Amino acid sequence: MLPRRSRTVDLAFQKIQELLVQGSSSLSILGDQLVKDLHTDKPTNVRQVLDQLMDSIALVANAKYKLNMKRRELIKPDLNPPYTRLCKEDIKPSTKLFGDELSKHLKDMTEAKKAGRQMQRYSDTR
């Protein structure tokens, strides 16, 4: 039997995989319908195609977001304590796991840490 943490991680990845399968299935059904419409010269219901396409995109995009959050969660224990804040959901992933402004976030955290130390020294001298 797998350790509890491994089972938890595996379950989280299974849920993400479900989203990807649903999105892929929806796209496959859509593609099949478009091919059938083409072969039968049946007019395509554009509204229906767009609705199904948007649903598929939403499912795949949600899976990508959840996968990025899970990756951050797995990396978090290996980060130095001040930098674990990079794993919070308010820093939105983009083409990069920690967003496009990683250096800005790191600089802000470093400055906040310095300010905290200076304030602590000031209160220690009182």
Side-chain angles (χ1 to χ4, degrees):
M1 180 175 264
L2 288 173
R4 184 175 188 203
R5 174 155 168 70
S6 295
R7 287 192 316 254
T8 303
V9 169
D10 183 60
L11 183 60
F13 279 113
Q14 283 179 35
K15 289 179 181 180
I16 296 168
Q17 194 173 20
E18 279 180 32
L19 291 170
L20 288 171
V21 169
Q22 289 172 353
S24 299
S25 295
S26 180
L27 288 171
S28 296
I29 292 166
L30 179 59
D32 183 58
Q33 186 60 50
L34 289 172
V35 168
K36 286 177 184 174
D37 289 352
L38 185 65
H39 287 330
T40 61
D41 288 330
K42 179 181 171 189
T44 301
N45 182 336
V46 176
R47 170 49 79 211
Q48 184 180 3
V49 167
L50 284 175
D51 286 347
Q52 191 162 359
L53 183 61
M54 296 308 288
D55 288 346
S56 300
I57 290 170
L59 286 165
V60 172
N62 191 16
K64 181 182 185 291
Y65 176 79
K66 288 183 180 286
L67 190 56
N68 282 332
M69 292 299 107
K70 182 50 70 178
R71 288 176 59 208
R72 284 183 181 182
E73 183 182 319
L74 293 171
I75 291 171
K76 188 176 181 176
D78 296 322
L79 296 176
N80 288 327
Y83 302 112
T84 58
R85 289 181 285 161
L86 288 171
C87 298
K88 290 186 176 184
E89 287 190 31
D90 60 328
I91 298 176
K92 301 293 181 206
S94 59
T95 57
K96 297 174 179 74
L97 184 60
F98 295 102
D100 289 331
E101 298 179 348
L102 177 60
S103 59
K104 179 186 178 301
H105 292 301
L106 290 173
K107 183 180 174 188
D108 292 347
M109 284 183 221
T110 302
E111 288 175 5
K113 187 176 179 180
K114 281 181 190 176
R117 273 196 246 130
Q118 287 177 344
M119 290 180 72
Q120 187 176 14
R121 273 190 248 142
Y122 177 74
S123 66
D124 289 345
T125 59
R126 293 181 121 203

